[in-house]
Amino acid sequence: MGDRQNTTSAYVISVVFMTAVSSGLRTLTFPLYAYALGYSPYEISLFYVIYYVTHLALTYPFALLSQRVGASRIVPILSVADAVSIFLINFHTLSSFVVSFVLLGLASALVPQLNSLIAHNFKDKLTKIYSRTIAATLAGNLVSQTLTAIFGQQGLFSTIYFSVGMMYIAFAVISIFLLRGFKDVNVELKVKYVPSRNLLVLSLLTFVAAFSSLIVARFIQIWFVEQSLSVFDVSVIYMMKSVIGMGASLLTEKVGENALLRPSFYVLLAALSTVQVLLIYFPPPISVVSYVSASLTGPILATADNVIVTKILNELKEVENGFALMSTFRMVGEIFGTLGQGLLFTAGEYLVPFVLGAILSFMVLVLDWVLYERIVVKKGPSRGLG
């Protein structure tokens, strides 16, 4: 199990890093790129809706396929689709953007099965693997932010997508062989088509969490530009956030699971995170300081929440379909969050997204803990919430 776990760990972290580079270019760079090409925030949001709809259509079929043939046999498709997707943005045409976001949806539909590899193979080391994947995510984001700072200020967006796309395609081909010979750890004896009540509740919380996150964060770079900050300034802000977040993620690994899941510590961080989101609405430097400081609490909360969710799914014995269903609900939440912020920002309304996102995110974090307490800590998955 040791060699197999090391192989899986290397694969998971490397894939997470590359998808983070790609994701960073879409999260930070693409809205600025499309905005410069003349697309409105609402029109930009429609590209993300294409991605979300594709994700919704494919997530559950991939989950059922994973339960039958094993996640390690289908997850490598993720990197190939994502690599081609990022390369297509280089052509900056409407059709290339549409196809790119369709492929992104296909790739993201496989992310839940990457999570199932983690759930099955790192039950006793969840805090360590999640803190490392979050650090890898932030490192990938830092790469994309650095590229944006260097080339974006000069308007050379196509150069970024071409270079990263070519390197990513090469990596995707090589990564296919990293899991050769790996055998999935399948703890589920049969495919579950109907989710349990607890899983539905957890999925609903995932929907609200995604909505509250994206109604604040999807076009926050446009918010900073509206505050008279340059593309370079915004890139530096994102870079600072990633560097601090990487440090917080690595620190989380040292903290340990027991301290991380202590109720008082968890709720205090959730409350602090809520205040930080609200303060982003204020003009610089308050908004900048608050946004960057959130990178201290964000990775710690994300690691804790990932551990909580994975433990719940393992206890319910609904790992593959659980991650898939949650991912489906997450995508629906992101659709509404993205469209909501796009519409509100286009209408010039900036306060509502921050207030709504802050309140809802705090509620979700607390309710996640309550669900974890009732299912895992008390060892009573059949008790439910009703």
Side-chain angles (χ1 to χ4, degrees):
M1 181 64 182
D3 291 340
R4 183 183 302 169
Q5 193 175 71
N6 290 336
T7 300
T8 310
S9 177
Y11 176 80
V12 168
I13 291 173
S14 61
V15 169
V16 166
F17 172 78
M18 287 305 301
T19 55
V21 175
S22 170
S23 175
L25 290 178
R26 290 190 184 87
T27 302
L28 169 62
T29 317
F30 181 77
L32 295 173
Y33 184 25
Y35 197 53
L37 290 174
Y39 292 93
S40 72
Y42 176 69
E43 290 169 333
I44 298 171
S45 71
L46 295 179
F47 290 118
Y48 290 95
V49 171
I50 292 172
Y51 145 59
Y52 297 143
V53 171
T54 306
H55 177 104
L56 289 172
L58 296 177
T59 298
Y60 227 73
F62 277 141
L64 299 178
L65 181 63
S66 174
Q67 288 180 318
R68 293 184 180 277
V69 305
S72 64
R73 296 186 179 183
I74 64 173
V75 164
I77 301 172
L78 186 162
S79 296
V80 176
D82 197 31
V84 176
S85 170
I86 204 71
F87 179 74
L88 286 175
I89 297 179
N90 162 66
F91 297 101
H92 59 79
T93 64
L94 178 61
S95 59
S96 67
F97 286 169
V98 170
V99 175
S100 172
F101 279 84
V102 169
L103 287 175
L104 173 62
L106 187 154
S108 67
L110 285 164
V111 171
Q113 303 319 310
L114 185 66
N115 290 331
S116 74
L117 286 179
I118 295 175
H120 284 322
N121 293 277
F122 298 92
K123 289 183 180 180
D124 57 337
K125 298 181 179 179
L126 288 175
T127 299
K128 177 179 288 188
I129 188 64
Y130 278 129
S131 63
R132 290 182 179 181
T133 55
I134 290 174
T137 298
L138 293 168
N141 288 340
L142 181 61
V143 170
S144 64
Q145 293 152 8
T146 303
L147 290 172
T148 303
I150 296 173
F151 296 102
Q153 183 69 13
Q154 305 172 52
L156 301 176
F157 292 104
S158 291
T159 301
I160 301 174
Y161 289 109
F162 177 82
S163 302
V164 172
M166 291 298 293
M167 289 187 291
Y168 196 179
I169 290 173
F171 166 81
V173 174
I174 295 173
S175 70
I176 293 175
F177 301 97
L178 290 179
L179 286 182
R180 288 187 65 181
F182 175 80
K183 295 181 180 180
D184 291 284
V185 181
N186 188 8
V187 299
E188 299 185 355
L189 301 178
K190 62 180 181 179
V191 176
K192 291 187 176 181
Y193 294 98
V194 181
S196 67
R197 183 190 304 178
N198 283 315
L199 178 54
L200 287 174
V201 172
L202 189 61
S203 298
L204 181 60
L205 291 176
T206 302
F207 162 81
V208 179
F211 173 81
S212 63
S213 174
L214 268 292
I215 201 171
V216 171
R218 175 57 76 191
F219 302 121
I220 200 167
Q221 62 277 70
I222 294 177
W223 163 248
F224 284 132
V225 169
E226 289 293 324
Q227 300 300 308
S228 301
L229 298 177
S230 68
V231 172
F232 178 80
D233 294 333
V234 175
S235 300
V236 170
I237 292 170
Y238 273 67
M239 290 166 64
M240 292 171 59
K241 190 172 186 293
S242 293
V243 170
I244 295 173
M246 287 170 60
S249 297
L250 296 175
L251 178 63
T252 303
E253 183 179 338
K254 304 296 182 182
V255 170
E257 187 174 296
N258 291 334
L260 194 64
L261 299 184
R262 187 178 297 126
S264 57
F265 180 70
Y266 181 82
V267 174
L268 177 63
L269 281 180
L272 179 58
S273 176
T274 300
V275 173
Q276 289 169 327
V277 171
L278 287 171
L279 290 177
I280 296 174
Y281 170 75
F282 292 88
I286 296 176
S287 59
V288 174
V289 171
S290 181
Y291 184 67
V292 173
S293 67
S295 58
L296 284 172
T297 56
I300 300 175
L301 277 172
T303 300
D305 206 48
N306 285 337
V307 172
I308 285 173
V309 168
T310 303
K311 282 181 174 290
I312 291 174
L313 294 181
N314 274 322
E315 187 69 27
L316 296 173
K317 293 182 171 56
E318 296 182 275
V319 175
E320 281 86 1
N321 62 322
F323 278 121
L325 187 64
M326 288 173 59
S327 181
T328 300
F329 273 74
R330 179 181 297 111
M331 286 298 106
V332 176
E334 290 189 0
I335 289 174
F336 283 99
T338 298
L339 288 175
Q341 191 178 43
L343 286 169
L344 288 168
F345 273 24
T346 299
E349 177 54 67
Y350 296 104
L351 176 60
V352 174
F354 294 107
V355 173
L356 193 59
I359 295 173
L360 290 178
S361 63
F362 178 77
M363 291 174 55
V364 168
L365 288 169
V366 172
L367 290 174
D368 273 351
W369 171 261
V370 172
L371 200 61
Y372 167 73
E373 178 78 16
R374 299 186 68 172
I375 294 175
V376 179
V377 177
K378 293 185 178 180
K379 301 292 183 182
S382 63
R383 294 164 59 138
L385 292 178

